[in-house]
PDB file of all heavy atoms in Angstrom:
ATOM      1  N   VAL A  14      27.636  -8.386   2.695  1.00 82.00           N
ATOM      2  CA  VAL A  14      26.864  -9.370   1.955  1.00 82.00           C
ATOM      3  C   VAL A  14      25.391  -9.058   2.131  1.00 82.00           C
ATOM      4  O   VAL A  14      24.832  -9.128   3.194  1.00 82.00           O
ATOM      5  CB  VAL A  14      27.177 -10.790   2.400  1.00 82.00           C
ATOM      6  CG1 VAL A  14      26.320 -11.781   1.657  1.00 82.00           C
ATOM      7  CG2 VAL A  14      28.652 -11.084   2.231  1.00 82.00           C
ATOM      8  N   TYR A  15      24.788  -8.707   1.014  1.00 88.00           N
ATOM      9  CA  TYR A  15      23.313  -8.397   0.963  1.00 88.00           C
ATOM     10  C   TYR A  15      22.612  -9.757   0.731  1.00 88.00           C
ATOM     11  O   TYR A  15      23.006 -10.560  -0.076  1.00 88.00           O
ATOM     12  CB  TYR A  15      22.993  -7.460  -0.171  1.00 88.00           C
ATOM     13  CG  TYR A  15      21.529  -7.238  -0.408  1.00 88.00           C
ATOM     14  CD1 TYR A  15      20.831  -6.247   0.243  1.00 88.00           C
ATOM     15  CD2 TYR A  15      20.846  -8.015  -1.352  1.00 88.00           C
ATOM     16  CE1 TYR A  15      19.485  -5.994   0.031  1.00 88.00           C
ATOM     17  CE2 TYR A  15      19.484  -7.737  -1.556  1.00 88.00           C
ATOM     18  CZ  TYR A  15      18.851  -6.764  -0.884  1.00 88.00           C
ATOM     19  OH  TYR A  15      17.518  -6.546  -1.097  1.00 88.00           O
ATOM     20  N   LYS A  16      21.517  -9.951   1.489  1.00 90.00           N
ATOM     21  CA  LYS A  16      20.725 -11.163   1.362  1.00 90.00           C
ATOM     22  C   LYS A  16      19.306 -10.801   0.914  1.00 90.00           C
ATOM     23  O   LYS A  16      18.726  -9.890   1.510  1.00 90.00           O
ATOM     24  CB  LYS A  16      20.734 -11.895   2.662  1.00 90.00           C
ATOM     25  CG  LYS A  16      22.122 -12.428   3.041  1.00 90.00           C
ATOM     26  CD  LYS A  16      22.198 -12.888   4.505  1.00 90.00           C
ATOM     27  CE  LYS A  16      22.379 -11.744   5.488  1.00 90.00           C
ATOM     28  NZ  LYS A  16      23.586 -10.966   5.400  1.00 90.00           N
ATOM     29  N   GLY A  17      18.835 -11.441  -0.071  1.00 94.00           N
ATOM     30  CA  GLY A  17      17.497 -11.144  -0.576  1.00 94.00           C
ATOM     31  C   GLY A  17      16.719 -12.437  -0.966  1.00 94.00           C
ATOM     32  O   GLY A  17      17.270 -13.507  -0.984  1.00 94.00           O
ATOM     33  N   TYR A  18      15.486 -12.228  -1.292  1.00 95.00           N
ATOM     34  CA  TYR A  18      14.552 -13.315  -1.694  1.00 95.00           C
ATOM     35  C   TYR A  18      13.826 -12.896  -2.961  1.00 95.00           C
ATOM     36  O   TYR A  18      13.517 -11.752  -3.139  1.00 95.00           O
ATOM     37  CB  TYR A  18      13.572 -13.532  -0.539  1.00 95.00           C
ATOM     38  CG  TYR A  18      12.218 -13.976  -0.971  1.00 95.00           C
ATOM     39  CD1 TYR A  18      11.972 -15.334  -1.228  1.00 95.00           C
ATOM     40  CD2 TYR A  18      11.203 -13.063  -1.216  1.00 95.00           C
ATOM     41  CE1 TYR A  18      10.737 -15.725  -1.714  1.00 95.00           C
ATOM     42  CE2 TYR A  18       9.946 -13.463  -1.666  1.00 95.00           C
ATOM     43  CZ  TYR A  18       9.733 -14.777  -1.896  1.00 95.00           C
ATOM     44  OH  TYR A  18       8.515 -15.197  -2.370  1.00 95.00           O
ATOM     45  N   THR A  19      13.640 -13.876  -3.840  1.00 96.00           N
ATOM     46  CA  THR A  19      12.881 -13.592  -5.082  1.00 96.00           C
ATOM     47  C   THR A  19      12.353 -14.876  -5.704  1.00 96.00           C
ATOM     48  O   THR A  19      12.827 -15.967  -5.391  1.00 96.00           O
ATOM     49  CB  THR A  19      13.811 -12.913  -6.141  1.00 96.00           C
ATOM     50  OG1 THR A  19      13.041 -12.534  -7.236  1.00 96.00           O
ATOM     51  CG2 THR A  19      14.945 -13.808  -6.585  1.00 96.00           C
ATOM     52  N   SER A  20      11.379 -14.754  -6.584  1.00 96.00           N
ATOM     53  CA  SER A  20      10.879 -15.874  -7.312  1.00 96.00           C
ATOM     54  C   SER A  20      11.445 -15.899  -8.707  1.00 96.00           C
ATOM     55  O   SER A  20      11.279 -16.854  -9.450  1.00 96.00           O
ATOM     56  CB  SER A  20       9.335 -15.867  -7.373  1.00 96.00           C
ATOM     57  OG  SER A  20       8.927 -14.681  -8.039  1.00 96.00           O
ATOM     58  N   ASP A  21      12.160 -14.853  -9.113  1.00 96.00           N
ATOM     59  CA  ASP A  21      12.801 -14.770 -10.431  1.00 96.00           C
ATOM     60  C   ASP A  21      14.193 -14.205 -10.268  1.00 96.00           C
ATOM     61  O   ASP A  21      14.420 -12.989 -10.317  1.00 96.00           O
ATOM     62  CB  ASP A  21      11.941 -13.862 -11.356  1.00 96.00           C
ATOM     63  CG  ASP A  21      12.415 -13.890 -12.781  1.00 96.00           C
ATOM     64  OD1 ASP A  21      13.593 -14.210 -13.012  1.00 96.00           O
ATOM     65  OD2 ASP A  21      11.586 -13.491 -13.659  1.00 96.00           O
ATOM     66  N   LEU A  22      15.130 -15.119 -10.130  1.00 95.00           N
ATOM     67  CA  LEU A  22      16.532 -14.652  -9.867  1.00 95.00           C
ATOM     68  C   LEU A  22      17.127 -13.883 -10.971  1.00 95.00           C
ATOM     69  O   LEU A  22      17.835 -12.906 -10.721  1.00 95.00           O
ATOM     70  CB  LEU A  22      17.374 -15.940  -9.525  1.00 95.00           C
ATOM     71  CG  LEU A  22      18.759 -15.693  -8.998  1.00 95.00           C
ATOM     72  CD1 LEU A  22      18.712 -14.822  -7.742  1.00 95.00           C
ATOM     73  CD2 LEU A  22      19.403 -17.013  -8.727  1.00 95.00           C
ATOM     74  N   LYS A  23      16.897 -14.279 -12.237  1.00 94.00           N
ATOM     75  CA  LYS A  23      17.482 -13.516 -13.357  1.00 94.00           C
ATOM     76  C   LYS A  23      17.028 -12.057 -13.384  1.00 94.00           C
ATOM     77  O   LYS A  23      17.801 -11.102 -13.534  1.00 94.00           O
ATOM     78  CB  LYS A  23      17.141 -14.197 -14.692  1.00 94.00           C
ATOM     79  CG  LYS A  23      17.931 -15.419 -14.955  1.00 94.00           C
ATOM     80  CD  LYS A  23      17.535 -16.003 -16.308  1.00 94.00           C
ATOM     81  CE  LYS A  23      18.243 -17.302 -16.561  1.00 94.00           C
ATOM     82  NZ  LYS A  23      17.957 -17.829 -17.883  1.00 94.00           N
ATOM     83  N   ARG A  24      15.719 -11.885 -13.209  1.00 96.00           N
ATOM     84  CA  ARG A  24      15.121 -10.540 -13.223  1.00 96.00           C
ATOM     85  C   ARG A  24      15.628  -9.731 -12.080  1.00 96.00           C
ATOM     86  O   ARG A  24      16.020  -8.559 -12.246  1.00 96.00           O
ATOM     87  CB  ARG A  24      13.599 -10.652 -13.161  1.00 96.00           C
ATOM     88  CG  ARG A  24      12.925  -9.298 -13.014  1.00 96.00           C
ATOM     89  CD  ARG A  24      11.442  -9.387 -12.671  1.00 96.00           C
ATOM     90  NE  ARG A  24      11.133 -10.180 -11.493  1.00 96.00           N
ATOM     91  CZ  ARG A  24      11.346  -9.798 -10.243  1.00 96.00           C
ATOM     92  NH1 ARG A  24      11.816  -8.575  -9.975  1.00 96.00           N
ATOM     93  NH2 ARG A  24      11.037 -10.584  -9.231  1.00 96.00           N
ATOM     94  N   ARG A  25      15.644 -10.317 -10.895  1.00 96.00           N
ATOM     95  CA  ARG A  25      16.089  -9.580  -9.661  1.00 96.00           C
ATOM     96  C   ARG A  25      17.563  -9.195  -9.783  1.00 96.00           C
ATOM     97  O   ARG A  25      17.912  -8.080  -9.405  1.00 96.00           O
ATOM     98  CB  ARG A  25      15.864 -10.448  -8.439  1.00 96.00           C
ATOM     99  CG  ARG A  25      16.007  -9.680  -7.144  1.00 96.00           C
ATOM    100  CD  ARG A  25      14.987  -8.547  -7.014  1.00 96.00           C
ATOM    101  NE  ARG A  25      15.047  -7.949  -5.751  1.00 96.00           N
ATOM    102  CZ  ARG A  25      14.651  -6.784  -5.450  1.00 96.00           C
ATOM    103  NH1 ARG A  25      14.100  -6.020  -6.433  1.00 96.00           N
ATOM    104  NH2 ARG A  25      14.697  -6.280  -4.253  1.00 96.00           N
ATOM    105  N   TRP A  26      18.408 -10.065 -10.299  1.00 95.00           N
ATOM    106  CA  TRP A  26      19.821  -9.781 -10.450  1.00 95.00           C
ATOM    107  C   TRP A  26      19.979  -8.559 -11.460  1.00 95.00           C
ATOM    108  O   TRP A  26      20.755  -7.671 -11.168  1.00 95.00           O
ATOM    109  CB  TRP A  26      20.581 -10.987 -10.918  1.00 95.00           C
ATOM    110  CG  TRP A  26      22.074 -10.730 -11.184  1.00 95.00           C
ATOM    111  CD1 TRP A  26      22.718 -10.944 -12.300  1.00 95.00           C
ATOM    112  CD2 TRP A  26      23.019 -10.148 -10.262  1.00 95.00           C
ATOM    113  NE1 TRP A  26      24.030 -10.588 -12.184  1.00 95.00           N
ATOM    114  CE2 TRP A  26      24.246 -10.084 -10.922  1.00 95.00           C
ATOM    115  CE3 TRP A  26      22.945  -9.703  -8.973  1.00 95.00           C
ATOM    116  CZ2 TRP A  26      25.411  -9.583 -10.333  1.00 95.00           C
ATOM    117  CZ3 TRP A  26      24.112  -9.186  -8.372  1.00 95.00           C
ATOM    118  CH2 TRP A  26      25.282  -9.135  -9.036  1.00 95.00           C
TER     119      TRP A  26
END
Side-chain angles (χ1 to χ4, degrees):
V14 177
Y15 174 87
K16 294 165 281 295
Y18 147 85
T19 186
S20 61
D21 187 339
L22 190 56
K23 287 182 183 183
R24 175 192 52 77
R25 190 64 172 157
W26 178 235

